[in-house]
Amino acid sequence: MKIKIKYLNGIRFKRFIINSAQRINQMEQYLNDINVFPVADGDTGTNMVATMNSIVKGIKKCKESSFTRISSIIADSALTGARGNSGAILAQFFQGLAEATQGKVRLSTEAFASAAVKAAKQARKAISHPQEGTIITVMKDWANHLTEHAPHTPDFVELFKKSLSKAKDSLDKTPDKLLILKKAGVVDAGAQGFVNILEGIVNFIEYGKVKSLKAITSTTKKMSSFNLEKVDSGINFQFCTECLLEGIGLDLKTIKQKLSFFGDSLIVAGSKNKAHIHIHTDKPEDVFAELSEFGTIVKTKVDDMHKQHTKIKLDAQKSIGLVTDSTCDLPPELIKKYNIQIVPIVIQVGEKSYLDQVEIKPKDFIHILETSNEKLSTSQPPPASFTEVYNKIASKYESIISLHISERLSGTIQSARMGCKSMEYSNKIHIVDSKTSSVALGLLVAEAAQLIQERFNLGEIINRLKIAADNVKIFISIPTLKYLMRSGRLSKTKGLLGTLLNLKPILTVNSDGNIVEAAKVIGQKRVLHKTLNLAIKFAKSLKNPRFGITHVAAPELAQWYGYKIRTVFISSKVMISEASPALSVHIGIGGAAIAVLGDS
């Protein structure tokens, strides 16, 4: 006789979840292997296992039969034991389910479907920048299918079997919605895990236990092999940071807004009394300090994602090396991630000279800007500095790309040419003029690094860089004319007149590689908004815009620029760094620049 389940109570749902956890345990390694989004750190399976096992531990102790009681324990246990992106999203899904079924002893198929839709919406809301083609897409499609069929399907057995097919169809389509999945030849690991949870339920309904199902799904059967070596790790921040926060009347929306400046992959899951926070950041201690203002941090976890990235990490020995100069304004973590070699420019303070980033750091130079009356200037690195760097790496690479500040702005490229002229390996060094500077150069260097990691050949990388140089712009806001006059870029007569009129210029670099005026406004507030508007207008003319922001002792302004950009270009990358002395000597304290790189 065919089994029918007309209602779902706490005892039945508890059994469903326990068997789903067993299914996730079976799939752990496979989920780790296909994990490429949001970062390729190979731990989705481990994180989902930890989250589900925490749930099982919580509900096994409960003997009550009401759905609301079991559901609330599941939600609480998930929040307490959640790990990683996938775990945090699952925790919020179960939190939404618990809230939607409060006071319910048992559920009909219609009531469960309604609750599932609310749970899927809650999971999406927890994510700072939700991305289609992930677990939230499959959750939504599955829940919508439940809602559509529940009114004429009163049997949970039939409903779950049909909805599992819909979830699998949705999973199959994730590579079409997320390019990184298609490039890797995999489905989304978190979405696969959610389908496995549903498989555990259906398997238990049909057989009374979890059968050992094949790990490979219909989607991956169609794909001849994984191509994970073609995928960038996507690790923009070093630490996966998580904590459990307890308090009274926690405002999850405000918490999410406050933390949005600290990194990416932000998820805030929970209720008014307990929240699980997940974020990728370079400064976990600052995240915890911010959260301590809202409540009590009862548990923390910090993982170094650079160290975790072992399963799909490319061989450290790349075929192409990458060299640039210290005007590039790249964040230190990106320099480290891509093993970029930096040749320092020379900073002149009166009679003393310093090597940028080696003998003097940005904060030291800012102190000099604030306190010193000595003449300040910068100059290109001597040829010997290039020779030293090239010799250091020449034996490790088949070729070297040396990408530098515009030849119209500096003699750096000429020094690079002289530095490699008499070298044994000179034929493998390819010097490229970026035709730009500062964080715009940084975006091009990051682009080159990613192309190298994706195994493009030398000729194609150089060709793409030349095209990219035509599709990059920088907009520099000048808060005061004082430093332009001091560095000699602006005559004192024009500078004093501009100061009297409260004129604020916005500079850019034209297609020839020269600095020119992009706009001129009156007043500090206008210059900030005009700089932002120019960057956004240019970005709208491009496909897939990427952004870089640099600042001189103005982190709040840089974060504000980043926030405004993300409200317009939600999924775009925004890189923020401190400005090098090469830029700050001219624009001064409080200055900032926005660079935009896109595809034509």
Side-chain angles (χ1 to χ4, degrees):
M1 185 173 125
K2 185 181 176 184
I3 299 172
K4 289 188 178 182
I5 299 176
K6 297 293 187 180
Y7 67 87
L8 201 57
N9 62 8
I11 294 173
R12 286 173 175 169
F13 194 54
K14 173 181 172 179
R15 290 172 182 162
F16 286 177
I17 294 300
I18 289 172
N19 282 275
S20 289
Q22 290 178 29
R23 178 65 178 135
I24 288 293
N25 273 274
Q26 289 179 354
M27 294 292 293
E28 179 179 358
Q29 188 55 56
Y30 176 71
L31 295 175
N32 285 341
D33 289 344
I34 66 169
N35 170 207
V36 298
F37 184 84
V39 293
D41 51 355
D43 64 357
T44 293
T46 302
N47 290 337
M48 294 190 92
V49 164
T51 306
M52 293 299 292
N53 287 350
S54 177
I55 292 172
V56 170
K57 185 178 178 181
I59 59 176
K60 273 189 172 179
K61 300 172 185 176
C62 182
K63 304 299 180 184
E64 295 185 41
S65 62
S66 76
F67 191 95
T68 189
R69 180 63 183 144
I70 288 295
S71 188
S72 64
I73 291 173
I74 288 171
D76 189 70
S77 300
L79 283 175
T80 302
R83 279 183 57 175
N85 268 272
S86 53
I89 294 168
L90 273 181
Q92 188 61 20
F93 175 85
F94 286 122
Q95 180 66 35
L97 195 68
E99 290 176 7
T101 56
Q102 199 167 14
K104 303 284 187 182
V105 175
R106 57 171 66 177
L107 302 178
S108 65
T109 54
E110 286 189 75
F112 181 81
S114 176
V117 168
K118 291 175 182 176
K121 288 179 179 177
Q122 285 280 66
R124 180 179 290 266
K125 281 174 63 179
I127 306 169
S128 185
H129 298 298
Q131 180 75 53
E132 291 299 335
T134 62
I135 185 173
I136 58 170
T137 300
V138 176
M139 283 177 171
K140 176 190 69 178
D141 292 346
W142 171 74
N144 288 342
H145 185 273
L146 290 176
T147 303
E148 183 182 346
H149 291 84
H152 48 82
T153 312
D155 177 18
F156 274 97
V157 177
E158 184 181 351
L159 185 65
F160 272 123
K161 286 178 72 174
K162 287 182 177 178
S163 65
L164 173 59
S165 295
K166 177 62 180 178
K168 286 182 176 180
D169 288 341
S170 179
L171 175 67
D172 288 354
K173 294 172 184 174
T174 57
D176 297 325
K177 296 177 180 178
L178 206 52
L179 182 60
I180 190 172
L181 301 178
K182 181 164 279 190
K183 286 171 70 175
V186 297
V187 293
D188 179 68
Q192 175 70 69
F194 186 72
V195 168
N196 295 141
I197 288 172
L198 301 179
E199 282 179 345
I201 293 172
V202 172
N203 210 218
F204 175 69
I205 290 172
E206 288 192 306
Y207 305 105
K209 62 180 180 179
V210 176
K211 289 182 70 179
S212 179
L213 302 177
K214 288 183 180 179
I216 307 299
T217 64
S218 58
T219 298
T220 50
K221 277 180 182 176
K222 296 172 189 174
M223 300 178 180
S224 58
S225 64
F226 299 164
N227 298 305
L228 302 185
E229 73 280 355
K230 293 185 179 179
V231 178
D232 175 24
S233 67
I235 303 176
N236 298 319
F237 297 92
Q238 186 171 359
F239 300 105
C240 177
T241 302
E242 297 183 76
C243 73
L244 189 65
L245 182 70
E246 293 183 351
I248 299 172
L250 294 175
D251 187 338
L252 303 187
K253 186 177 180 180
T254 300
I255 291 172
K256 192 156 57 168
Q257 288 174 342
K258 291 282 186 181
L259 294 184
S260 63
F261 300 124
F262 288 89
D264 62 16
S265 295
L266 173 61
I267 302 171
V268 179
S271 64
K272 292 182 178 180
N273 301 317
K274 183 183 287 188
H276 181 94
I277 288 88
H278 171 282
I279 187 171
H280 293 168
T281 183
D282 288 322
K283 297 181 178 178
E285 65 281 0
D286 291 354
V287 171
F288 297 144
E290 185 72 38
L291 287 171
S292 65
E293 301 293 322
F294 292 90
T296 303
I297 297 173
V298 295
K299 190 169 76 170
T300 64
K301 184 177 78 69
V302 177
D303 291 328
D304 187 328
M305 293 187 293
H306 288 155
K307 291 181 179 178
Q308 283 183 325
H309 183 56
T310 56
K311 292 188 182 297
I312 62 171
K313 180 170 71 172
L314 296 176
D315 193 303
Q317 199 76 3
K318 309 273 193 327
S319 61
I320 302 172
L322 185 58
V323 177
T324 189
D325 56 78
S326 63
T327 68
C328 67
D329 291 335
L330 275 171
E333 60 271 14
L334 280 184
I335 294 170
K336 180 181 177 182
K337 172 184 173 181
Y338 291 117
N339 196 28
I340 300 165
Q341 303 301 309
I342 307 292
V343 179
I345 63 166
V346 178
I347 313 297
Q348 197 72 33
V349 181
E351 298 297 318
K352 295 180 180 178
S353 61
Y354 303 90
L355 294 178
D356 183 26
Q357 298 290 352
V358 178
E359 298 171 334
I360 190 169
K361 299 292 183 183
K363 65 178 181 179
D364 303 318
F365 190 73
I366 287 165
H367 179 70
I368 292 171
L369 283 174
E370 291 174 325
T371 60
S372 175
N373 291 319
E374 293 186 277
K375 184 179 178 181
L376 306 176
S377 62
T378 62
S379 62
Q380 72 263 24
S385 293
F386 284 96
T387 303
E388 182 182 349
V389 169
Y390 293 150
N391 274 327
K392 176 184 171 185
I393 65 170
S395 62
K396 299 178 182 178
Y397 298 102
E398 294 174 10
S399 305
I400 296 169
I401 293 174
S402 202
L403 179 62
H404 299 287
I405 182 174
S406 169
E407 193 167 9
R408 296 289 183 93
L409 302 177
S410 169
T412 298
I413 281 183
Q414 186 59 31
S415 286
R417 289 175 183 142
M418 292 173 65
C420 75
K421 198 171 185 180
S422 58
M423 286 181 62
E424 178 187 350
Y425 304 103
S426 61
N427 63 325
K428 68 163 63 176
I429 299 167
H430 303 269
I431 297 168
V432 180
D433 184 356
S434 72
K435 295 186 178 180
T436 189
S437 180
S438 183
V439 71
L441 168 60
L443 286 177
L444 291 176
V445 173
E447 188 83 358
Q450 189 166 329
L451 291 171
I452 290 170
Q453 197 170 63
E454 291 177 5
R455 299 291 189 181
F456 283 87
N457 64 49
L458 177 68
E460 192 166 2
I461 293 173
I462 291 174
N463 185 52
R464 284 180 176 233
L465 284 176
K466 289 178 179 177
I467 294 170
D470 293 329
N471 290 317
V472 69
K473 280 274 188 185
I474 186 169
F475 301 95
I476 307 164
S477 62
I478 311 291
T480 172
L481 300 178
K482 168 184 171 183
Y483 297 96
L484 285 174
M485 290 189 288
R486 184 175 175 179
S487 68
R489 291 277 180 174
L490 183 68
S491 70
K492 287 189 176 181
T493 303
K494 289 183 178 180
L496 290 172
L497 180 61
T499 301
L500 284 172
L501 296 173
N502 199 21
L503 288 175
K504 310 291 182 183
I506 299 165
L507 304 181
T508 189
V509 180
N510 66 17
S511 58
D512 294 326
N514 289 310
I515 289 180
V516 295
E517 194 175 88
K520 190 185 292 180
V521 296
I522 295 174
Q524 178 62 16
K525 191 173 181 180
R526 287 180 180 174
V527 77
L528 302 184
H529 286 277
K530 183 65 174 178
T531 303
L532 178 66
N533 290 340
L534 285 171
I536 288 175
K537 182 180 179 181
F538 177 67
K540 285 181 176 179
S541 70
L542 302 169
K543 297 175 184 176
N544 186 29
R546 287 86 82 192
F547 299 85
I549 300 170
T550 193
H551 65 90
V552 184
E556 295 86 1
L557 173 58
Q559 295 289 357
W560 181 77
Y561 276 151
Y563 172 75
K564 289 293 186 181
I565 287 167
R566 288 189 187 100
T567 60
V568 180
F569 304 94
I570 293 172
S571 60
S572 294
K573 291 183 178 181
V574 181
M575 176 181 77
I576 297 179
S577 64
E578 291 183 288
S580 67
L583 182 66
S584 54
V585 70
H586 303 299
I587 70 174
I589 293 167
I594 305 173
V596 187
L597 170 64
D599 304 326
S600 56

PDB file of all heavy atoms in Angstrom, residues 4 7 90 194 205 281 288 309 325 384 408 453 478 504 572:
ATOM      1  N   LYS A   4       1.043   7.556   2.486  1.00  0.00           N
ATOM      2  CA  LYS A   4       0.620   8.941   2.310  1.00  0.00           C
ATOM      3  C   LYS A   4       0.841   9.687   3.617  1.00  0.00           C
ATOM      4  O   LYS A   4       0.625   9.147   4.692  1.00  0.00           O
ATOM      5  CB  LYS A   4      -0.847   9.035   1.889  1.00  0.00           C
ATOM      6  CG  LYS A   4      -1.097   8.564   0.465  1.00  0.00           C
ATOM      7  CD  LYS A   4      -2.526   8.867   0.029  1.00  0.00           C
ATOM      8  CE  LYS A   4      -2.753   8.445  -1.429  1.00  0.00           C
ATOM      9  NZ  LYS A   4      -4.121   8.775  -1.871  1.00  0.00           N
ATOM     10  N   TYR A   7      -0.178  15.250   6.961  1.00  0.00           N
ATOM     11  CA  TYR A   7       0.242  16.405   7.765  1.00  0.00           C
ATOM     12  C   TYR A   7       1.682  16.202   8.220  1.00  0.00           C
ATOM     13  O   TYR A   7       2.201  15.080   8.239  1.00  0.00           O
ATOM     14  CB  TYR A   7      -0.686  16.607   8.972  1.00  0.00           C
ATOM     15  CG  TYR A   7      -0.608  15.506  10.001  1.00  0.00           C
ATOM     16  CD1 TYR A   7       0.350  15.545  11.023  1.00  0.00           C
ATOM     17  CD2 TYR A   7      -1.495  14.428   9.969  1.00  0.00           C
ATOM     18  CE1 TYR A   7       0.431  14.529  11.975  1.00  0.00           C
ATOM     19  CE2 TYR A   7      -1.420  13.408  10.908  1.00  0.00           C
ATOM     20  CZ  TYR A   7      -0.458  13.472  11.910  1.00  0.00           C
ATOM     21  OH  TYR A   7      -0.372  12.467  12.851  1.00  0.00           O
ATOM     22  N   LEU A  90      21.586  28.635   5.293  1.00  0.00           N
ATOM     23  CA  LEU A  90      20.693  27.595   5.820  1.00  0.00           C
ATOM     24  C   LEU A  90      20.088  28.013   7.146  1.00  0.00           C
ATOM     25  O   LEU A  90      18.898  27.794   7.405  1.00  0.00           O
ATOM     26  CB  LEU A  90      21.466  26.285   6.011  1.00  0.00           C
ATOM     27  CG  LEU A  90      21.573  25.322   4.831  1.00  0.00           C
ATOM     28  CD1 LEU A  90      22.360  24.093   5.247  1.00  0.00           C
ATOM     29  CD2 LEU A  90      20.193  24.917   4.312  1.00  0.00           C
ATOM     30  N   PHE A 194      21.705  21.965  -0.836  1.00  0.00           N
ATOM     31  CA  PHE A 194      20.279  22.092  -0.512  1.00  0.00           C
ATOM     32  C   PHE A 194      19.475  20.997  -1.203  1.00  0.00           C
ATOM     33  O   PHE A 194      18.560  20.416  -0.604  1.00  0.00           O
ATOM     34  CB  PHE A 194      19.769  23.472  -0.937  1.00  0.00           C
ATOM     35  CG  PHE A 194      18.345  23.741  -0.518  1.00  0.00           C
ATOM     36  CD1 PHE A 194      18.026  23.964   0.813  1.00  0.00           C
ATOM     37  CD2 PHE A 194      17.322  23.735  -1.453  1.00  0.00           C
ATOM     38  CE1 PHE A 194      16.708  24.199   1.205  1.00  0.00           C
ATOM     39  CE2 PHE A 194      16.007  23.970  -1.081  1.00  0.00           C
ATOM     40  CZ  PHE A 194      15.695  24.195   0.259  1.00  0.00           C
ATOM     41  N   ILE A 205      11.427   9.071   3.095  1.00  0.00           N
ATOM     42  CA  ILE A 205      10.007   8.795   2.887  1.00  0.00           C
ATOM     43  C   ILE A 205       9.818   7.491   2.116  1.00  0.00           C
ATOM     44  O   ILE A 205       8.950   6.669   2.445  1.00  0.00           O
ATOM     45  CB  ILE A 205       9.330   9.966   2.128  1.00  0.00           C
ATOM     46  CG1 ILE A 205       9.235  11.210   3.024  1.00  0.00           C
ATOM     47  CG2 ILE A 205       7.943   9.567   1.647  1.00  0.00           C
ATOM     48  CD1 ILE A 205       8.761  12.454   2.290  1.00  0.00           C
ATOM     49  N   THR A 281      36.794  39.337   5.379  1.00  0.00           N
ATOM     50  CA  THR A 281      37.390  40.620   5.738  1.00  0.00           C
ATOM     51  C   THR A 281      38.887  40.466   5.956  1.00  0.00           C
ATOM     52  O   THR A 281      39.389  39.353   6.120  1.00  0.00           O
ATOM     53  CB  THR A 281      36.728  41.189   7.015  1.00  0.00           C
ATOM     54  OG1 THR A 281      37.277  42.463   7.316  1.00  0.00           O
ATOM     55  CG2 THR A 281      36.942  40.264   8.203  1.00  0.00           C
ATOM     56  N   PHE A 288      34.561  42.457  15.037  1.00  0.00           N
ATOM     57  CA  PHE A 288      34.108  42.090  16.380  1.00  0.00           C
ATOM     58  C   PHE A 288      33.904  43.332  17.250  1.00  0.00           C
ATOM     59  O   PHE A 288      32.959  43.386  18.055  1.00  0.00           O
ATOM     60  CB  PHE A 288      35.103  41.136  17.042  1.00  0.00           C
ATOM     61  CG  PHE A 288      35.243  39.812  16.329  1.00  0.00           C
ATOM     62  CD1 PHE A 288      36.472  39.167  16.254  1.00  0.00           C
ATOM     63  CD2 PHE A 288      34.148  39.208  15.710  1.00  0.00           C
ATOM     64  CE1 PHE A 288      36.608  37.963  15.600  1.00  0.00           C
ATOM     65  CE2 PHE A 288      34.271  38.005  15.045  1.00  0.00           C
ATOM     66  CZ  PHE A 288      35.510  37.374  14.981  1.00  0.00           C
ATOM     67  N   HIS A 309      42.828  27.561   0.663  1.00  0.00           N
ATOM     68  CA  HIS A 309      42.685  27.374  -0.782  1.00  0.00           C
ATOM     69  C   HIS A 309      43.781  26.439  -1.310  1.00  0.00           C
ATOM     70  O   HIS A 309      44.765  26.857  -1.898  1.00  0.00           O
ATOM     71  CB  HIS A 309      42.768  28.737  -1.466  1.00  0.00           C
ATOM     72  CG  HIS A 309      42.558  28.676  -2.949  1.00  0.00           C
ATOM     73  ND1 HIS A 309      41.447  28.135  -3.534  1.00  0.00           N
ATOM     74  CD2 HIS A 309      43.343  29.085  -3.971  1.00  0.00           C
ATOM     75  CE1 HIS A 309      41.544  28.216  -4.833  1.00  0.00           C
ATOM     76  NE2 HIS A 309      42.688  28.796  -5.130  1.00  0.00           N
ATOM     77  N   ASP A 325      55.161  48.976 -10.550  1.00  0.00           N
ATOM     78  CA  ASP A 325      55.842  49.911  -9.654  1.00  0.00           C
ATOM     79  C   ASP A 325      54.900  50.335  -8.540  1.00  0.00           C
ATOM     80  O   ASP A 325      53.691  50.088  -8.593  1.00  0.00           O
ATOM     81  CB  ASP A 325      56.352  51.118 -10.439  1.00  0.00           C
ATOM     82  CG  ASP A 325      55.242  51.826 -11.196  1.00  0.00           C
ATOM     83  OD1 ASP A 325      54.484  52.576 -10.556  1.00  0.00           O
ATOM     84  OD2 ASP A 325      55.122  51.605 -12.419  1.00  0.00           O
ATOM     85  N   ALA A 384      68.815  50.163 -11.746  1.00  0.00           N
ATOM     86  CA  ALA A 384      69.323  49.064 -10.927  1.00  0.00           C
ATOM     87  C   ALA A 384      68.211  48.382 -10.122  1.00  0.00           C
ATOM     88  O   ALA A 384      68.279  47.172  -9.856  1.00  0.00           O
ATOM     89  CB  ALA A 384      70.410  49.579  -9.980  1.00  0.00           C
ATOM     90  N   ARG A 408      54.136  59.203 -20.190  1.00  0.00           N
ATOM     91  CA  ARG A 408      53.993  60.653 -20.260  1.00  0.00           C
ATOM     92  C   ARG A 408      54.074  61.312 -18.878  1.00  0.00           C
ATOM     93  O   ARG A 408      54.289  62.520 -18.778  1.00  0.00           O
ATOM     94  CB  ARG A 408      52.646  61.014 -20.896  1.00  0.00           C
ATOM     95  CG  ARG A 408      52.491  60.560 -22.345  1.00  0.00           C
ATOM     96  CD  ARG A 408      53.376  61.379 -23.275  1.00  0.00           C
ATOM     97  NE  ARG A 408      53.196  60.998 -24.676  1.00  0.00           N
ATOM     98  CZ  ARG A 408      52.352  61.593 -25.503  1.00  0.00           C
ATOM     99  NH1 ARG A 408      51.586  62.583 -25.058  1.00  0.00           N
ATOM    100  NH2 ARG A 408      52.267  61.217 -26.765  1.00  0.00           N
ATOM    101  N   GLN A 453      46.609  33.885 -14.111  1.00  0.00           N
ATOM    102  CA  GLN A 453      46.111  32.772 -13.322  1.00  0.00           C
ATOM    103  C   GLN A 453      45.148  31.897 -14.115  1.00  0.00           C
ATOM    104  O   GLN A 453      45.057  30.687 -13.890  1.00  0.00           O
ATOM    105  CB  GLN A 453      45.424  33.289 -12.054  1.00  0.00           C
ATOM    106  CG  GLN A 453      45.239  32.210 -11.001  1.00  0.00           C
ATOM    107  CD  GLN A 453      44.784  32.789  -9.684  1.00  0.00           C
ATOM    108  OE1 GLN A 453      43.714  33.360  -9.584  1.00  0.00           O
ATOM    109  NE2 GLN A 453      45.593  32.627  -8.649  1.00  0.00           N
ATOM    110  N   ILE A 478      40.340  66.779  -5.780  1.00  0.00           N
ATOM    111  CA  ILE A 478      41.362  67.586  -5.116  1.00  0.00           C
ATOM    112  C   ILE A 478      40.673  68.478  -4.074  1.00  0.00           C
ATOM    113  O   ILE A 478      39.952  69.419  -4.439  1.00  0.00           O
ATOM    114  CB  ILE A 478      42.127  68.476  -6.125  1.00  0.00           C
ATOM    115  CG1 ILE A 478      42.587  67.663  -7.340  1.00  0.00           C
ATOM    116  CG2 ILE A 478      43.286  69.185  -5.450  1.00  0.00           C
ATOM    117  CD1 ILE A 478      43.670  66.662  -7.064  1.00  0.00           C
ATOM    118  N   LYS A 504      37.553  73.742  -6.974  1.00  0.00           N
ATOM    119  CA  LYS A 504      38.048  72.383  -6.710  1.00  0.00           C
ATOM    120  C   LYS A 504      38.127  71.619  -8.035  1.00  0.00           C
ATOM    121  O   LYS A 504      37.095  71.327  -8.647  1.00  0.00           O
ATOM    122  CB  LYS A 504      37.105  71.638  -5.754  1.00  0.00           C
ATOM    123  CG  LYS A 504      36.729  72.402  -4.491  1.00  0.00           C
ATOM    124  CD  LYS A 504      37.906  72.557  -3.547  1.00  0.00           C
ATOM    125  CE  LYS A 504      37.492  73.284  -2.281  1.00  0.00           C
ATOM    126  NZ  LYS A 504      38.630  73.509  -1.381  1.00  0.00           N
ATOM    127  N   SER A 572      29.376  44.436  -8.618  1.00  0.00           N
ATOM    128  CA  SER A 572      30.712  44.806  -9.087  1.00  0.00           C
ATOM    129  C   SER A 572      31.737  44.790  -7.959  1.00  0.00           C
ATOM    130  O   SER A 572      31.410  45.051  -6.798  1.00  0.00           O
ATOM    131  CB  SER A 572      30.684  46.200  -9.720  1.00  0.00           C
ATOM    132  OG  SER A 572      29.909  46.204 -10.879  1.00  0.00           O
TER     133      SER A 572
END
